[in-house]
Amino acid sequence: MATADRKRRRTVNGPAETGQYPESGRRPRACILMSTYNGAAFLAEQLKSIQGQTFDDWSLLVRDDGSTDGTVDIIRTFAAEDARIRLVESTPPGTEPLGPASSFGTLITSGLETASDVFFLSDQDDVWEPHKIERFLLEFEQQQPPLLVFSDYRKVDARLQDLDGSNLVDSLGASPLSLASLLTMNFIPGCCMAFNRALAEIATPIPGASPMHDWWLALTAAASGRLFRIEEPLVKYRQHGGNVIGASSLTSLARGVSDWPAIWRKGQRELVQTFSQAGELAERL
């Protein structure tokens, strides 16, 4: 790795360790996990950005959570033309969706049944930079497990035009992420992260008390392994009216008085979930 590239790398929990991947002489096997739900508007563009990666030795497992808009047809079309893409499960339309946390939890379990070494989480509506997988795998070759790596993102609109607002690096600043800070708030979007098998085995099954799968993965990495940050934006994080989870801004917190009771109840639920998740983490580890 070039000297300039090394200067751009930032370790979150201490200095980077060096060393070969456990099986010397080969690159890690990459598995991408994508949960979909009524994502037909942007799904094909994301799938094409994955197919256009400079590192092409990957597999993609997709789980649909009950779409009714043609999403499954798009997945099946791509899978028929590309053997690396596989629809592993679908929630039947009309039945209760699992939701993002449980759906991705199911996908991680499916991923562990493969021979993959590194798992990437993918949203259905983003666009990846062409060298995203290759850039991430450099870190998994250099460092020892358990490990979660995350990159910065560029916030874009539905037409992929840059939006105003801070990116992930600006939001986090220079301060390292600690377990204490992660216990209170989730800072790392799943679309920007990848993790190795050692971490996946510790983190699964994702507990029902955990509000989101990416939060639980970040917590598990902070408590049992390492977090590593790539400051380069490798995801175009698309914000549009149909996001299940999106990048929020302070302006979104400006509400009318009539909304305050609902906000208070939501805050109470999230506080309870935060304590429950911390308890689950203590028990798991």
Side-chain angles (χ1 to χ4, degrees):
M1 188 180 298
T3 302
D5 189 39
R6 288 185 181 274
K7 289 180 179 178
R8 286 195 296 267
R9 297 167 59 202
R10 174 169 295 178
T11 306
V12 173
N13 290 348
E17 296 178 5
T18 58
Q20 287 188 313
Y21 203 72
E23 293 184 25
S24 177
R26 70 165 179 83
R27 301 291 298 274
R29 291 174 287 236
C31 180
I32 306 160
L33 308 173
M34 177 188 290
S35 178
T36 59
Y37 179 72
N38 287 345
F42 305 111
L43 176 59
E45 194 170 13
Q46 169 65 325
L47 292 173
K48 289 176 182 177
S49 80
I50 293 172
Q51 288 179 319
Q53 292 291 299
T54 55
F55 182 89
D56 60 7
D57 187 15
W58 47 260
S59 61
L60 169 60
L61 304 182
V62 187
R63 183 190 181 280
D64 186 74
D65 204 19
S67 296
T68 58
D69 68 344
T71 293
V72 173
D73 292 335
I74 294 172
I75 299 166
R76 286 174 175 158
T77 297
F78 273 83
E81 299 172 353
D82 192 334
R84 298 172 297 178
I85 301 173
R86 182 159 60 98
L87 179 65
V88 295
E89 182 181 287
S90 295
T91 298
T95 60
E96 187 70 22
L98 294 183
S102 294
S103 189
F104 272 105
T106 300
L107 277 167
I108 295 170
T109 299
S110 297
L112 284 171
E113 294 172 356
T114 71
S116 303
D117 305 301
V118 177
F119 303 94
F120 291 77
L121 302 185
S122 172
D123 287 349
Q124 64 188 4
D125 46 11
D126 298 329
V127 169
W128 287 8
E129 297 295 344
H131 60 295
K132 175 183 175 179
I133 295 178
E134 189 168 15
R135 178 66 185 87
F136 268 74
L137 292 184
L138 287 174
E139 304 307 334
F140 287 102
E141 290 176 338
Q142 291 291 323
Q143 301 196 50
Q144 300 300 313
L147 175 65
L148 185 147
V149 176
F150 64 98
S151 74
D152 201 356
Y153 60 75
R154 286 171 50 205
K155 202 186 303 182
V156 298
D157 64 16
R159 296 177 295 175
L160 300 181
Q161 300 300 305
D162 287 339
L163 291 171
D164 293 333
S166 62
N167 55 19
L168 189 59
V169 168
D170 292 338
S171 300
L172 295 177
S175 300
L177 285 178
S178 65
L179 176 59
S181 63
L182 280 165
L183 281 168
T184 61
M185 185 176 294
N186 183 25
F187 299 94
I188 308 171
C191 64
C192 297
M193 68 170 55
F195 48 94
N196 58 10
R197 174 173 286 270
L199 184 62
E201 289 174 346
I202 297 171
T204 53
I206 295 176
S210 181
M212 285 300 293
H213 55 287
D214 48 10
W215 192 358
W216 175 255
L217 288 163
L219 270 175
T220 306
S224 67
R226 300 174 68 84
L227 291 162
F228 188 91
R229 181 164 79 196
I230 299 171
E231 295 190 355
E232 182 182 358
L234 297 175
V235 176
K236 294 179 182 177
Y237 191 17
R238 196 190 314 248
Q239 302 298 295
H240 55 89
N243 289 86
V244 176
I245 302 292
S248 62
S249 65
L250 290 177
T251 56
S252 67
L253 300 178
R255 307 273 187 162
V257 174
S258 61
D259 290 332
W260 288 2
I263 294 172
W264 175 252
R265 287 192 295 271
K266 182 174 183 290
Q268 285 182 311
R269 289 195 301 272
E270 291 178 348
L271 183 62
V272 170
Q273 286 179 312
T274 300
F275 278 104
S276 298
Q277 179 174 243
E280 290 279 358
L281 184 68
E283 183 175 342
R284 179 74 59 91
L285 301 180

